[in-house]
Amino acid sequence: MIAGTSLYYTQKFSNNQFIVRSRIKTNATGDTPLNYTSEEEDERVRRDKTNEFDFYLEYQTKNFTYFRYQVSIDLVAHNGTYHELYTHFPIYNIKDGLFLLGAFASAGVGDLKHNEYLYGEGAAGNSINNVEYGLTIRSPKVIDMFWPTFRVSRFQIIDEKNQNASFVKEKSGVNAEALMAFKIW
């Protein structure tokens, strides 16, 4: 599957409960925000363009509880590695997955190369570098659990060294995302 600048491969096992997914993401550091902010464009941190390879191991129960382990490897700019654990628990389910409200949480660990690339000089190595939690709306009956259709989250950079690294301007915040999908044929 092609989504944006990424190429995905997905293989499902054991009645679709176990999923192995991989992704090659080109231009992983693109800087074209969807909305305008008060930040001046010439003040933004400029990172070297890079490509990434991501590997996901996923498990989904019949009631839509979902667990995911991710490892990401940079292929061009820094060759660093990032690991993430993610979990999603259903709260309210309409029509067996047509509309699924759920809560999620994730935590990531980056090595020194990854953290310096992302947070700048002075970042910590091999540390938990971020956590995120919030609510999602998914539609697993029609769209893969991997893709929430709406998400509101609170995120935070962890580890004092990462928080005070040279690129960091905000240590925590709130994020909202919406995904629209439609069938082509």
Side-chain angles (χ1 to χ4, degrees):
M1 176 179 76
I2 296 174
T5 61
S6 299
L7 176 64
Y8 290 82
Y9 174 76
T10 303
Q11 182 66 51
K12 296 180 179 185
F13 300 95
S14 185
N15 294 329
N16 296 331
Q17 286 188 290
F18 286 96
I19 302 160
V20 173
R21 188 182 316 261
S22 60
R23 170 175 72 179
I24 298 281
K25 186 175 185 182
T26 61
N27 193 16
T29 55
D31 188 18
T32 52
L34 183 61
N35 58 337
Y36 292 101
T37 67
S38 60
E39 181 183 43
E40 295 294 326
E41 187 173 349
D42 58 347
E43 292 178 6
R44 291 187 192 138
V45 173
R46 300 288 182 218
R47 293 176 181 86
D48 294 336
K49 288 188 177 190
T50 193
N51 301 326
E52 293 176 345
F53 172 76
D54 301 320
F55 173 82
Y56 302 90
L57 179 59
E58 305 167 44
Y59 177 73
Q60 177 181 316
T61 67
K62 297 199 184 307
N63 76 341
F64 304 114
T65 300
Y66 176 75
F67 302 96
R68 179 174 71 215
Y69 166 71
Q70 171 187 349
V71 61
S72 297
I73 301 166
D74 180 83
L75 301 174
V76 178
H78 59 84
N79 298 94
T81 306
Y82 172 79
H83 301 266
E84 183 179 88
L85 291 175
Y86 177 98
T87 187
H88 172 272
F89 295 100
I91 296 172
Y92 188 69
N93 185 351
I94 297 176
K95 293 191 178 181
D96 195 31
L98 185 58
F99 176 90
L100 180 68
L101 174 65
F104 79 93
S106 67
V109 174
D111 67 9
L112 181 61
K113 293 176 187 176
H114 172 273
N115 290 351
E116 283 183 338
Y117 177 79
L118 192 63
Y119 302 121
E121 193 173 317
N126 297 318
S127 65
I128 296 177
N129 61 7
N130 70 85
V131 294
E132 186 175 16
Y133 54 90
L135 297 173
T136 64
I137 296 174
R138 298 173 189 265
S139 300
K141 190 172 188 175
V142 292
I143 299 174
D144 192 323
M145 277 291 285
F146 186 81
W147 307 98
T149 51
F150 183 73
R151 180 171 91 152
V152 176
S153 65
R154 170 109 167 100
F155 63 89
Q156 182 176 350
I157 296 174
I158 302 297
D159 194 297
E160 192 173 327
K161 285 185 175 183
N162 292 333
Q163 291 176 346
N164 295 319
S166 61
F167 294 164
V168 175
K169 292 183 182 176
E170 295 181 24
K171 297 173 174 101
S172 63
V174 175
N175 185 37
E177 297 176 19
L179 171 72
M180 294 186 289
F182 54 92
K183 188 173 183 175
I184 296 175
W185 67 83

